Amino acid sequence: MTQKVRVAVVFGGRSSEHAISCVSAGAVLSHLDPERFEVVPVGITRDGAWVLGTADPRELVISDRALPSVDATGTALALPGDPTRGGLVVLDADRAGEVFSGVDVVFPVLHGPFGEDGTIQGLLEMAGLPYVGAGVLASAVSMDKEFTKKLLAAEGLPVGELVVLRPGTATLTAAQRERLGLPAFVKPARAGSSVGITRVTDWADLDAAIALAREHDPKVLVEAAVVGREVECAVLELPDGSVRASVPAEIRITGTTAGGTTPGFYDFEAKYLDDVCEFDIPAKLDDDVAERLRAMAVDAFRAVDGQGLARVDFFVGPDGELTVNEVNTMPGFTPISMYPRAWAVTGIDFATLLTTLVETAQARGTGLR
């Protein structure tokens, strides 16, 4: 019999997207083909401790608005308020080396800083361990929305207007407010899952929005609103190095949150906690717009030196004009995430998608390429 490929699925982490990483990992663990892969779940706590053990994917879900987490106190990937589960052990340096020495591929299902930003990718490059997803450069620049937009613009791709507020710069100048206009979006430069984002419709609310964003990142972006529909496209690199784009997928907010309000944008609650969105896969676009969007998604992927996978987010204007919003090098794999859903409609089911990602990582290897 062919020996199974040993895959370490690493999840959790120190970022504000810890819980969503756990939910993504639950879906990945549920869909990796057990006939082909031996899976080693490795969790990282919010404090940065690495833990090893058996992970029941059924625990890695959002339940009654409660978010899952990795806990190193003897609690195995517990939901809040459930201290009874066990099975994980904290990895010391010797044990960590032992675990990873027998691994063929690492699947870092990590979202946000300290995982999606080139940090773990650099560690794995140093260790010579193949891994799923983008390399150090693409991970770092795509995590930082300022530099994503600079690279995209350098390749002639359309991006929106923005101002970067670095540490020590408290707020926008009058001229910057005039240039951006209202509404504007204030967001951490290096975060995802719509964490810390505010839609500002009155400049009197700007400083509070900046303060909220700075709870997650000292560097803040203020972006001009772009009129258009939110459409996403999944990009996949195959083992032979060729790159494909999925059918476009559109998100529409159609309901109200648990608090009875309609979200002003696709925020964290709308994404993960409240059933307020509908998805059109494929998006209802003219054929020429859809084809231009798919081609531009591949161009954006290459502009940041992408590898493995990415989700490219767009605004589609009333006349079909395209604006690239961001490039996500480790998109969500949760049950509602667009990346696996778009590929399923395109013709690649979840299990095949994960197999392709692992095989691409094996074919690519590590080092300069």
Side-chain angles (χ1 to χ4, degrees):
M1 293 181 61
T2 303
Q3 185 174 357
K4 293 182 181 180
V5 176
R6 199 160 192 248
V7 179
V9 176
V10 183
F11 59 98
R14 295 166 53 195
S15 84
S16 56
E17 297 177 76
H18 176 101
I20 304 308
S21 171
C22 291
V23 179
S24 287
V28 169
L29 291 167
S30 297
H31 289 89
L32 276 167
D33 185 353
E35 297 298 317
R36 303 188 62 170
F37 304 115
E38 177 188 351
V39 180
V40 181
V42 179
I44 303 176
T45 70
R46 294 181 187 274
D47 295 328
W50 292 51
V51 294
L52 171 70
T54 57
D56 185 345
R58 292 172 298 180
E59 294 181 3
L60 297 173
V61 297
I62 299 173
S63 178
D64 295 326
R65 297 176 66 87
L67 301 171
S69 64
V70 178
D71 186 349
T73 62
T75 307
L77 315 174
L79 290 172
D82 182 3
T84 61
R85 303 185 186 276
L88 291 184
V89 295
V90 179
L91 293 175
D92 57 25
D94 292 338
R95 180 63 174 149
E98 178 185 334
V99 169
F100 286 102
S101 66
V103 165
D104 299 302
V105 177
V106 176
F107 198 138
V109 190
L110 294 164
H111 306 316
F114 310 109
E116 193 182 347
D117 59 353
T119 49
I120 193 169
Q121 290 78 13
L123 175 66
L124 296 172
E125 289 284 355
M126 293 283 287
L129 270 175
Y131 55 92
V132 169
V136 174
L137 175 66
S139 298
V141 298
S142 298
M143 188 78 257
D144 191 320
K145 298 176 183 67
E146 174 193 0
F147 290 98
T148 303
K149 291 179 186 294
K150 286 181 175 178
L151 283 179
L152 295 175
E155 290 296 309
L157 299 174
V159 297
E161 289 279 344
L162 79 157
V163 172
V164 180
L165 298 178
R166 302 185 187 282
T169 302
T171 191
L172 297 178
T173 65
Q176 289 169 335
R177 296 183 192 206
E178 179 71 21
R179 176 164 66 87
L180 294 177
L182 289 173
F185 287 86
V186 180
K187 60 181 66 174
R190 295 160 290 196
S193 296
S194 297
V195 172
I197 298 182
T198 304
R199 182 176 184 265
V200 174
T201 58
D202 186 325
W203 290 125
D205 301 324
L206 175 64
D207 290 348
I210 293 171
L212 174 63
R214 282 198 161 130
E215 291 179 10
H216 303 277
D217 190 338
K219 184 166 73 168
V220 171
L221 303 187
V222 185
E223 297 180 339
V226 178
V227 176
R229 299 154 59 185
E230 293 189 49
V231 179
E232 302 178 351
C233 188
V235 179
L236 176 67
E237 181 187 12
L238 302 179
D240 65 3
S242 61
V243 177
R244 294 181 58 190
S246 74
V247 298
E250 181 174 6
I251 306 156
R252 293 182 292 107
I253 298 174
T254 59
T256 59
T257 66
T261 61
T262 300
F265 62 101
Y266 192 40
D267 61 10
F268 184 90
E269 285 74 18
K271 283 183 179 180
Y272 301 112
L273 302 181
D274 298 310
D275 186 17
V276 300
C277 296
E278 292 182 358
F279 307 94
D280 291 332
I281 311 174
K284 296 180 175 67
L285 299 171
D286 291 342
D287 289 346
D288 68 310
V289 175
E291 288 308 307
R292 284 195 293 113
L293 187 146
R294 295 175 77 174
M296 191 175 291
V298 173
D299 289 342
F301 181 80
R302 290 182 169 140
V304 299
D305 196 30
Q307 294 168 333
L309 74 161
R311 192 194 71 234
V312 184
D313 300 346
F314 293 87
F315 296 112
V316 180
D319 296 322
E321 61 271 27
L322 302 178
T323 303
V324 184
N325 184 30
E326 62 181 78
V327 179
N328 191 320
T329 57
M330 186 50 68
F333 283 90
T334 75
I336 60 124
S337 292
M338 281 294 207
Y339 190 84
R341 293 179 64 171
W343 277 118
V345 174
T346 307
I348 302 177
D349 63 71
F350 206 155
T352 303
L353 176 63
L354 297 177
T355 296
T356 302
L357 290 169
V358 173
E359 290 177 343
T360 298
Q362 288 181 293
R364 187 180 74 219
T366 58
L368 298 177
R369 50 194 180 272

